[in-house]
Amino acid sequence: MACALSTPILRLEATSSRRASCGTRLEICRGLDFLGARRKYPCQILSYKNPSYVVQAAVLPASRPILDNEEERKQMSERYGFTQIGEPLPDNITLKDIMDTLPKKLFEIDDMKAWRSILISVTSYALGILMISKAPWYLLPLAWAWTGTAVTGFFVIGHDCAHKSFSRNKLVEDIVGTLAFLPLIYPYEPWRFKHDRHHAKTNMLSEDTAWHPVWPEEFNSSPLLRKAIIFGYGPFRPWMSIAHWLIWHFDLKKFRPSEVGRVKISLACVFAFMAIGWPLIVYKAGIIGWIKFWLMPWLGYHFWMSTFTMVHHTAPHIPFKTSEEWNAAQAQLNGTVHCNYPRWIEILCHDINVHIPHHISSRIPSYNLRAAHKSLQENWGKYLNEANWNWRLMKTIMTMCHVYDKEQYYVPFHDIAPENESYPIKFLQKAMPDYA
């Protein structure tokens, strides 16, 4: 095409028009701004035709969410499904300033509480397996939901081990962490190495090893990849951690030479578990039994893995920044979300949802996260992003937070993708409830 738009944001209804160069036209458009208010904009309309589709997009004056105004933050909270959107943290506040306000006792390891978390996870998982074995077919989804949530607790135990917040004995942590990850087919050491970088580079473009916005160049690289990305970051987003698991943890080339030895040991453990555990399940219960007792709870675990990850760090008002712009305190305090879930989920998942203090210091054990969050609320409460898990919050993330834009933070797929490719997002917009 002869010309292109740098940041197409919305498709708007034109009210008046005059011709412009490059095959575009300048118009006065009306539409909704990021707060949902109807406004008029000078905009540029581009029509791009090829034999298979027509794209029409509008470019609005780019304006990132304004968080300095309390009333606007309240409106954004309501619109996005948050209970509070925090005001921006001043540039002169450091991560050490925040850590210094946390009581020292919150960093202490309590062996009794640590091993109690294992008892909770093992017991709840065993109960889930019993439920699956006894439940009639119509109750199996409930049994799978319970068991998938219970096995997520195994991940959180291994997560504490990786952060050196489970035991004072580091060999015990490595053993427990490796064993906790085995039922999930997760190699412990590869995950630990990558997750450490996520904490060091939270919400930093490119460097953060957790999820980040889709790059425009990647999105436009090919129609096939674009369709896969739309489905992956749209309706399949609650299971996108499966793709992350495959891409990041089994390729030795992604690790430093000093890490490869430990990575190989973890991979050997995972493959041994698959080689022994899976055939035993099939031998005892058949292929259907493997699906019932392992695959479906595993998919339930990945639902929580994906959901926790995207809720913790994804929102229209939370930016991903380049290394030159990045600020550690802002990323960890302002760029992390606290979300309340039904209490049974929080118990089985050992409060992993209490995530802001975990990003202030990953050395805080999971059983101290609630007390740490209370301390943060008392000292830094006005800067915190908080929510209760709800349909509107999930709908916002899955239908709005897609392609990276420096000014807007995110551009939704359906605003820039060809009409015949963006239907998964439009389907979610219509199908997902808007309850908050």
Side-chain angles (χ1 to χ4, degrees), residues 213-257:
V214 177
W215 287 102
E217 298 83 0
E218 181 183 22
F219 187 69
N220 294 318
S221 60
S222 76
L224 183 61
L225 180 60
R226 181 167 60 243
K227 290 178 182 178
I229 290 173
I230 289 174
F231 274 98
Y233 278 76
F236 294 141
R237 199 164 188 170
W239 290 274
M240 269 291 281
S241 58
I242 297 175
H244 188 272
W245 163 73
L246 285 170
I247 292 169
W248 280 98
H249 302 96
F250 294 90
D251 185 357
L252 294 179
K253 296 178 182 177
K254 293 185 179 294
F255 300 93
R256 302 183 182 100

Side-chain angles (χ1 to χ4, degrees), residues 193-199 201 204 206-212 244 248:
F193 291 135
K194 295 303 180 186
H195 189 67
D196 283 347
R197 294 175 205 173
H198 162 62
H199 275 268
K201 310 289 184 181
M204 187 185 293
S206 301
E207 289 84 355
D208 191 345
T209 56
W211 300 358
H212 52 73
H244 188 272
W248 280 98

Side-chain angles (χ1 to χ4, degrees), residues 135-154:
W137 66 267
Y138 53 85
L139 292 180
L140 278 175
L142 294 177
W144 288 330
W146 172 275
T147 311
T149 307
V151 81
T152 304
F154 287 0

Side-chain angles (χ1 to χ4, degrees), residues 61 126 331 343 350 365 400:
R343 187 64 186 132
H350 307 300
M400 293 179 63

